[in-house]
Amino acid sequence: MRLADLTTLRIGGEIRNLVEARTADEVIAAVSAADEAGEPLLVLGGGSNLVASDEPFEGTVVLLRDPEDPPLLDATCEVGASGEPDGIPVDPAELTPLDPTCGGAIAEYFAGVNWDRAVRYAIAREMVGIEALSGIPGTVGATPIQNVGAYGQEVASTISRVRTWDREKGAVRTFFAADCGFAYRDSVFKRTRYSGPVPSATGRYVVLSVTFQHTLGSLSAPIRYAQLAAELGVEVGGRAPMSQVREAVLRVRGSKGMVLDAADHDTWSAGSFFTNPILSAADAAALPEQAPRYDAGEGRVKTSAAWLISHSGIERGHAVGERASVSTKHSLALTNRGGASSEDLVALAHDVQSRVEDRYGIRLEPEPVRLGLAL
């Protein structure tokens, strides 16, 4: 099998050894075996945040799978779920109602559970806080690594703990929210590299499960993103029924080619390819007056990568060659138009970076994980 078969970009070379894991114990066993054998390791979920080389991967890929017949994971009032949960249901009719007088709920999911299924579960249980993250491809286990966020929400606001396998100590380690080092598209899990004898595409801590703490209610968390608020017909800071928020998010994401569709090459991507730059106040002041600016704390300013790209002479659909292009729907996504190689994508990414840097003096940083590629 090729990594191209397991990634949303549909790019990547042959895999020497592929192991599927549907439980935390299976993940630990597969990761430990690869580390003991001293071979390269890649732990892979939905493949939606990976840009891989076309060269063969001469190691083990541990592929996290959503359990085929997941048992009911009953979110509980104010106390954590017990045991080792392996999945979640999707049919609201199967759910035991939570006590409406309860102040909050905690739910824990195996890392391989499909993320959007977890979102649907939370909405069905009226568990508030991740509804604006609907439609994001990938698995639950990937969300704390990147501190996944969209449309004004981040998982950091609801994650209470992350259970991991520490590859260096050969032991389970649990991180509570304050220990996760969450920042914009960043966390301790992303920053902490594996220091073993063989270079690894996967960090020191392999996520086994993630626990979320929610408030309860039928209305969403306050809507922080202006485009989403406009779609819902509410003011920024207002609320809306969570089911309506999900529907609106899916419409907006779909209009940008950010909801997976095998027939639509604009969705053959890794989502947003570049992170929004965080600048010093002086560097932000040097941008044109109309450039977006958002307070990033500690005197820093975040601007929009999409704005920088679209104002650097890069039109939607901009291509380098014929097989890779900027999405025709969204300037922040780089896409495979069919048969693209990793070299095609790298050439396109470098072209976008160079044009933005030449125009504004800002070097865009790629968001996806890179395997065997320099970007």
Side-chain angles (χ1 to χ4, degrees), residues 163-185:
R163 189 167 176 264
T164 72
W165 177 250
D166 184 340
R167 298 171 63 193
E168 294 184 9
K169 292 189 175 181
V172 172
R173 177 173 176 182
T174 297
F175 290 80
F176 292 92
D179 306 318
C180 292
F182 288 128
Y184 172 64
R185 300 299 176 269

Side-chain angles (χ1 to χ4, degrees), residues 35 190 193 253 342:
D35 286 343
K190 182 177 180 180
R193 302 299 181 186
R253 290 185 65 86
S342 56

